Amino acid sequence: MFMASRIQTRAFSASARNLSKVTVLGAAGGIGQPLSLLLKLNPRVTELALYDIRGAPGVAADVSHVNTKSNVKGYEPTPSGLASALKGAEVVLIPAGVPRKPGMTRDDLFNTNASIVRDLAKACAESAPEANILVISNPVNSTVPICAEVFKARGVYNPKRLFGVTTLDVVRASRFVSEIKKTDPVDEKITVVGGHSGVTIVPLFSQSSHPDLSSNADLVKRVQFGGDEVVKAKDGAGSATLSMAMAGARMAESLLRASQGEKNVVEPTFVDSPLYKDQGIDFFSSQVELGPNGVEKILPIGKVDAVEEKLIEACLTDLKANIQKGKAFVAENPGN
Ligand SMILES: NC(=O)c1ccc[n+]([C@@H]2O[C@H](COP(=O)([O-])OP(=O)(O)OC[C@H]3O[C@@H](n4cnc5c(N)ncnc54)[C@H](O)[C@@H]3O)[C@@H](O)[C@H]2O)c1
Ligand SMILES: O=C(O)C[C@H](O)C(=O)O
């Protein structure tokens, strides 16, 4: 990933001298550790701040020996440690929270992760109100609306700076297609829209170079339930961490490329979106052009076929309920 971007790094060498502090909240976890490593390898990151309720200084000491230019610091699990980790951050990635075990849905994580994300969002709103916030913690369909409500309550909500990380869904889709078609995944650009759980994940194969795949129900299901495949294989030891770290690092890299002046940087992400607002759905994942201010342009869904139309219909019902649940949680549990 970073090899490919090395050319771009040179092309933007002047702006790449910008200072880009990136903070990871949940840095000692299954995702947090490899994500921190990948961010340390990214030449666009000049300062890496690692925070967790346990173990961040140790992870930071380890990662800090990697011989790239950036400075790494691990922070103590105190309110002032959290505030210092966040201060001046351009990008904040949040993989804090519990992962699934076999038999659970992402929504089953809500009771634990909603308050974790709410409290971290409060800290972000106070110490890094202008940062790009990248929410990885599940259920993303609900945790992103939770963040939005917290920021709104503090009068600092900027819809262009809040992102649910759905990159892993397109990473999987391109890989799964390449397995079937015996192609290089780099060439398989698959659009995936909706949300990030089960039927809310909608791959749009009709828009790819293999439109026939939209009627491949097994493939559609594999993309929708790719996370379950990993949860089952890990057999109680958690969910996707390595592929997720790659996907999160890619999303952070894309935001930094866009903020440093690169044009036409497009990633799928779950954002405050006009696409289905008329149906009461405030957040939706689609292709989004990124820019120096975060969201530059939300691209239209484009033409879909009859199968995909039905998938989108099913997605919207669940997604609406997930978003509502996140909003209601903050209204009923505003916390301190
Ligand atoms: N968006 C996606 O595509 C995607 C993909 C994979 C996993 N996830 C989600 O990411 C989350 C993390 O997964 P994981 O495998 O890294 O879990 P993990 O348990 O290995 O790590 C979570 C880390 O969060 C830390 N943490 C808990 N509460 C915290 C708080 N208040 N402040 C800071 N840190 C805190 C824990 O100490 C732990 O180190 C889960 O909710 C999982 O479902 C999302
Ligand atoms: O499946 C999970 O619970 C983790 C993550 O959302 C994934 O898609 O791998």
Side-chain angles (χ1 to χ4, degrees):
M1 175 174 43
F2 299 123
M3 282 298 179
S5 68
R6 200 149 274 178
I7 302 159
Q8 287 144 353
T9 306
R10 264 190 233 117
F12 289 92
S13 56
S15 49
R17 282 196 293 272
N18 290 352
L19 296 180
S20 291
K21 175 173 173 178
V22 175
T23 300
V24 182
L25 305 180
I31 296 167
Q33 293 202 38
L35 175 60
S36 301
L37 175 61
L38 291 173
L39 293 168
K40 177 69 174 122
L41 294 174
N42 186 336
R44 292 178 195 275
V45 178
T46 55
E47 190 180 341
L48 183 57
L50 306 184
Y51 174 85
D52 199 295
I53 48 167
R54 65 183 75 84
V59 175
D62 186 354
V63 167
S64 74
H65 289 190
V66 172
N67 61 342
T68 55
K69 275 190 187 164
S70 51
N71 294 317
V72 186
K73 190 164 176 205
Y75 292 83
E76 295 297 333
T78 59
S80 68
L82 179 54
S84 306
L86 288 167
K87 211 166 172 24
E90 181 176 343
V91 175
V92 179
L93 291 124
I94 311 184
V98 293
R100 286 197 282 166
K101 290 193 187 318
M104 292 171 83
T105 66
R106 291 181 185 79
D107 190 54
D108 292 332
L109 304 172
F110 186 95
N111 286 346
T112 309
N113 289 351
S115 53
I116 291 175
V117 171
R118 177 199 61 198
D119 295 347
L120 291 174
K122 273 184 203 162
C124 293
E126 276 154 26
S127 299
E130 288 169 12
N132 295 296
I133 310 293
L134 275 59
V135 184
I136 294 171
S137 316
N138 270 317
V140 166
N141 295 356
S142 305
T143 51
V144 170
I146 287 174
C147 282
E149 292 305 302
V150 168
F151 271 66
K152 278 180 201 164
R154 278 155 186 75
V156 292
Y157 179 52
N158 179 353
K160 291 178 185 292
R161 297 278 191 201
L162 177 61
F163 306 86
V165 180
T166 55
T167 330
L168 183 53
D169 299 318
V170 300
V171 166
R172 282 185 178 132
S174 77
R175 174 64 201 169
F176 298 166
V177 167
S178 77
E179 285 172 11
I180 293 172
K181 297 289 182 183
K182 310 282 178 250
T183 51
D184 185 337
V186 165
D187 300 324
E188 300 298 354
K189 308 271 184 267
I190 313 295
T191 299
V192 182
V193 300
H196 178 68
S197 76
V199 300
T200 71
I201 299 171
V202 181
L204 301 178
F205 292 117
S206 72
Q207 298 179 359
S208 75
S209 41
H210 314 288
D212 56 303
L213 288 177
S214 78
S215 54
N216 184 334
D218 289 343
L219 175 64
V220 170
K221 191 157 186 233
R222 192 170 181 215
V223 172
Q224 293 186 316
F225 294 89
D228 296 59
E229 213 175 274
V230 182
V231 170
K232 189 167 174 240
K234 290 200 174 179
D235 197 18
S239 54
T241 53
L242 303 172
S243 48
M244 181 58 235
M246 174 270 171
R250 167 174 144 178
M251 184 63 194
E253 154 89 348
S254 293
L255 270 163
L256 293 178
R257 276 165 49 208
S259 91
Q260 291 170 7
E262 193 175 326
K263 301 282 178 222
N264 303 316
V265 179
V266 175
E267 285 287 359
T269 174
F270 185 69
V271 292
D272 192 322
S273 170
L275 291 176
Y276 290 95
K277 274 221 201 260
D278 61 345
Q279 296 187 42
I281 293 161
D282 289 339
F283 295 86
F284 197 80
S285 183
S286 64
Q287 294 285 78
V288 172
E289 188 181 325
L290 305 172
N293 301 313
V295 172
E296 188 72 31
K297 190 155 76 178
I298 293 172
L299 303 181
I301 300 290
K303 205 162 171 279
V304 301
D305 69 16
V307 176
E308 293 161 350
E309 221 165 84
K310 284 222 150 33
L311 292 175
I312 291 177
E313 250 174 58
C315 155
L316 295 179
T317 309
D318 276 22
L319 194 50
K320 192 172 187 175
N322 295 158
I323 293 168
Q324 220 20 65
K325 188 169 176 178
K327 286 186 178 182
F329 173 79
V330 180
E332 288 156 23
N333 308 277
N336 299 320

